[in-house]
C-alpha cells in the first residue's frame, strides 16, 4: 500500500520558475527521501532528511519536514527543462526499518 | 550508471511462463531490495536480502521468489506469469541499513 500522498499529481511550469511538491505520510518514520524518475527509467536518489531535521538543502533542492503534520515538501528553484520528470517521496518507517514506502509521485513538466 | 546492474532490461514472455530477473548491487553494498512499479499499484516493495539472508518481505506474491547468492547478486524468480505481472521491476542496494538507496535501471517485463 502507498504510505504517502503527493500533491499535486501533476505540475506544469515555465523554465526559471520554482516548483513545489508536497508529500504526506501516515506513520512514524526514520527518514524521508525524495527520488526522481525520468520516464520509465530508474529512480535517482535526490535527498534524504532525517526525522530530527526540519530542513535540508542540496543545490537547487530544498526539502522540509514537519513530523507533527506528517508532511514534507520538495522545492526546486530556478527550474530547467531537464528537471522534467516524476518525483516521489519515500518514507523509511520506524516499524519496518528496512524498506521504502513510496508515494504516488508528482509529474513535473518544465516548459522551455 | 548507478552501480546497480539489472539484467535483462526488457523481457517479453507469455502467460504461464517463468522468468528470472538478475541484480548486482553496488560494490560493497550487502543489502538488495526488489520493487515492482505498475500503473495501478505504483511502487511496491517486494523483498529485501542482507548478506544472503531474507530480511523483510512486502507485497510479494507466492508465485514470486528471490534469493541472494554468496557473491551478493540477487535473482527474482517470477512464475506462472499473468498479464497483471507486467511491470517495471527495480532492484536497489544500500550501504549499511541507513541512508539513501541506489536503484538500478530496472527490468521491464511484459506478459502477453
Amino acid at each position: 500500500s502507498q504510505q504517502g500522498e503527493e500533491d499535486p499529481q501533476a505540475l506544469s511550469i515555465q523554465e526559471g520558475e520554482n516548483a513545489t511538491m508536497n508529500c504526506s505520510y501516515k506513520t512514524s518514520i526514520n527518514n524521508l527521501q525524495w527520488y526522481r524518475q525520468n520516464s520509465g527509467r530508474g529512480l535517482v536518489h535526490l535527498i534524504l532528511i532525517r526525522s530530527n531535521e526540519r530542513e535540508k538543502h542540496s543545490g537547487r533542492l530544498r526539502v522540509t519536514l514537519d513530523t507533527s503534520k506528517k508532511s514534507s515538501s520538495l522545492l526546486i528553484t530556478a527550474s530547467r527543462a531537464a528537471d522534467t520528470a516524476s518525483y516521489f517521496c519515500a518514507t523509511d518507517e520506524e516499524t519496518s526499518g528496512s524498506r521504502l514506502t513510496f508515494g504516488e509521485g508528482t509529474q513535473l513538466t518544465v516548459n522551455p | 550508471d548507478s552501480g546497480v546492474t539489472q539484467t535483462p532490461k526488457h523481457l517479453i514472455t507469455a502467460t504461464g511462463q517463468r522468468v528470472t530477473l538478475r541484480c548486482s548491487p553496488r560494490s560493497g553494498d550487502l543489502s538488495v531490495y526488489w520493487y515492482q512499479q505498475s500503473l495501478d499499484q505504483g511502487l511496491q516493495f517486494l523483498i529485501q536480502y542482507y548478506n544472503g539472508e531474507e530480511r523483510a518481505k512486502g507485497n510479494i506474491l507466492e508465485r514470486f521468489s528471490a534469493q541472494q547468492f554468496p557473491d551478493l547478486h540477487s535473482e527474482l524468480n517470477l512464475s506462472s506469469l499473468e498479464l497483471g505481472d507486467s511491470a517495471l521491476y527495480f532492484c536497489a542496494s544500500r550501504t549499511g541499513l541507513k541512508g539513501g538507496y541506489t536503484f538500478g535501471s530496472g527490468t521491464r517485463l511484459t506478459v502477453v
Side-chain angles (χ1 to χ4, degrees), chain A residues 36-55:
Chain A
R36 165 196 166 123
Q37 183 180 34
N38 285 56
S39 180
R41 303 183 71 174
L43 291 146
V44 176
H45 179 255
L46 295 176
I47 196 165
L48 179 152
I49 186 164
R50 301 195 187 283
S51 59
N52 61 353
E53 297 175 312
R54 293 296 166 258
E55 188 171 311

Side-chain angles (χ1 to χ4, degrees), chain A:
Chain A
S1 61
Q2 295 294 313
Q3 155 83 307
E5 293 181 5
E6 294 184 62
D7 166 47
Q9 288 190 327
L11 180 61
S12 181
I13 59 174
Q14 297 299 122
E15 253 188 338
E17 294 181 340
N18 295 341
T20 299
M21 289 160 267
N22 303 297
C23 166
S24 61
Y25 58 91
K26 297 172 186 172
T27 65
S28 296
I29 61 171
N30 291 317
N31 62 68
L32 186 143
Q33 305 176 30
W34 285 89
Y35 288 81
R36 165 196 166 123
Q37 183 180 34
N38 285 56
S39 180
R41 303 183 71 174
L43 291 146
V44 176
H45 179 255
L46 295 176
I47 196 165
L48 179 152
I49 186 164
R50 301 195 187 283
S51 59
N52 61 353
E53 297 175 312
R54 293 296 166 258
E55 188 171 311
K56 204 160 182 180
H57 297 253
S58 176
R60 293 184 296 113
L61 306 180
R62 173 179 167 251
V63 169
T64 62
L65 179 65
D66 186 336
T67 52
S68 66
K69 295 181 179 177
K70 290 187 167 57
S71 67
S72 173
S73 68
L74 171 68
L75 168 68
I76 304 174
T77 60
S79 62
R80 305 165 183 167
D83 294 329
T84 295
S86 292
Y87 292 82
F88 294 88
C89 70
T91 52
D92 195 344
E93 298 162 30
E94 283 187 344
T95 51
S96 68
S98 59
R99 72 188 74 179
L100 289 176
T101 303
F102 284 86
E104 295 176 353
T106 294
Q107 172 60 50
L108 172 66
T109 302
V110 182
N111 301 300

Side-chain angles (χ1 to χ4, degrees), chain B residues 17-32:
Chain B
Q17 295 297 305
R18 171 190 170 97
V19 297
T20 297
L21 313 183
R22 182 187 168 106
C23 168
S24 294
R26 265 189 338 173
S27 177
D29 287 355
L30 301 179
S31 286
V32 169

